[in-house]
Amino acid sequence: TLEGGPDNYPGYLRTAHNDKVQGAAAADFAYNTLKVTKAATIHDGSLYADQLQQVFAETFKQLGGTITAQEAVDPNQTDMSSVLASIAAGGPEFIYFPIFLPAGGFLIQQARTTPGLEDAVLMGADGLFSPDVTTAGGDAVEGFHVSSPDFTVFGSDYADKFVPAYKAKFGTEPISIFHAHSYDAFNMIKAGIEQVAVQDPDGTLHIPRQALRDALFATKDFKGLTGNLTCTPTGDCADPHIAVYEYHAGQYPPEKIWP
């Protein structure tokens, strides 16, 4: 049997963080930094959102907080009034909805006009770290928080070499947050291929699949843009650093406010 259970695939690895880290970081920020004690969550039925809100809820309760509601919306839903009214009844000070656009934009806008939620802190996750959020949220995006990888810890190679090279090639700065993780993933695969590839006398190149897998899983202290990457037996290779960012109306990217 595979380590990690039946959902673990033997050829699967990732440089992106495990959301157990992100959900816990969001709860830590809410409870210990904002000092809120009552929170609600919303997911959209996706495994990503459901797991994230669940980790948030469990961590928030362990810290001493109360979860007033755990609701769900449809990804294509545009009218959020009933779910927001239901959440408002519990009087949360904070709502965590790690979902995507367009539903995320409707929640940001409509929460601000829901009686009882005018002052609630709204927070999403890395699925809502995008310039499109600034457009979708309009003026209501002011003060919206989002958890996402902390690229301020990515080091000088990121700011001084990677970003200028990316801009020179594509004509724009990276638009998503996971570009650095993709770059590290490519370089890990490249290093693995260089380690295991077999070249025939006629120049034909063979890449033994199991050897490549073994080389990747054996990755230890790989110096990447996102940190020092070491792979676990279940393929988690990230060196996770999560930050919280705050959106301001008409501005992108949002401003890092924690830690």
Side-chain angles (χ1 to χ4, degrees), residues 142 164 168 176 190 215:
E142 181 66 43
S176 170
K190 177 175 174 281

Short mmCIF file of all heavy atoms in Angstrom, two decimals, residues 142 164 168 176 190 215:
data_model
loop_
_atom_site.label_atom_id
_atom_site.label_comp_id
_atom_site.label_asym_id
_atom_site.label_seq_id
_atom_site.Cartn_x
_atom_site.Cartn_y
_atom_site.Cartn_z
N GLU A 142 -12.24 46.85 -1.04
CA GLU A 142 -11.44 47.55 -0.03
C GLU A 142 -11.48 46.79 1.30
O GLU A 142 -12.54 46.55 1.85
CB GLU A 142 -11.96 48.97 0.17
CG GLU A 142 -11.17 49.80 1.18
CD GLU A 142 -9.74 50.09 0.73
OE1 GLU A 142 -9.53 50.42 -0.46
OE2 GLU A 142 -8.84 49.98 1.58
N PRO A 164 12.59 40.14 -13.56
CA PRO A 164 13.01 40.87 -14.78
C PRO A 164 13.08 39.96 -16.01
O PRO A 164 12.70 40.37 -17.11
CB PRO A 164 14.40 41.40 -14.42
CG PRO A 164 14.42 41.45 -12.93
CD PRO A 164 13.58 40.30 -12.48
N ALA A 168 10.85 40.38 -19.36
CA ALA A 168 11.49 40.53 -20.67
C ALA A 168 10.92 39.54 -21.67
O ALA A 168 10.75 39.85 -22.85
CB ALA A 168 13.00 40.34 -20.52
N SER A 176 -0.14 35.43 -11.65
CA SER A 176 -0.63 34.54 -10.61
C SER A 176 0.41 34.44 -9.52
O SER A 176 1.48 35.03 -9.61
CB SER A 176 -0.95 33.17 -11.20
OG SER A 176 -1.22 32.24 -10.17
N LYS A 190 14.05 18.77 -14.30
CA LYS A 190 15.28 18.88 -15.12
C LYS A 190 16.46 18.23 -14.40
O LYS A 190 17.22 17.45 -15.00
CB LYS A 190 15.56 20.36 -15.39
CG LYS A 190 16.85 20.64 -16.15
CD LYS A 190 16.95 22.14 -16.46
CE LYS A 190 18.29 22.50 -17.09
NZ LYS A 190 19.37 22.59 -16.08
N ALA A 215 14.27 9.62 -8.14
CA ALA A 215 15.15 10.79 -8.01
C ALA A 215 14.38 11.99 -7.46
O ALA A 215 14.88 12.73 -6.61
CB ALA A 215 15.78 11.12 -9.36
#
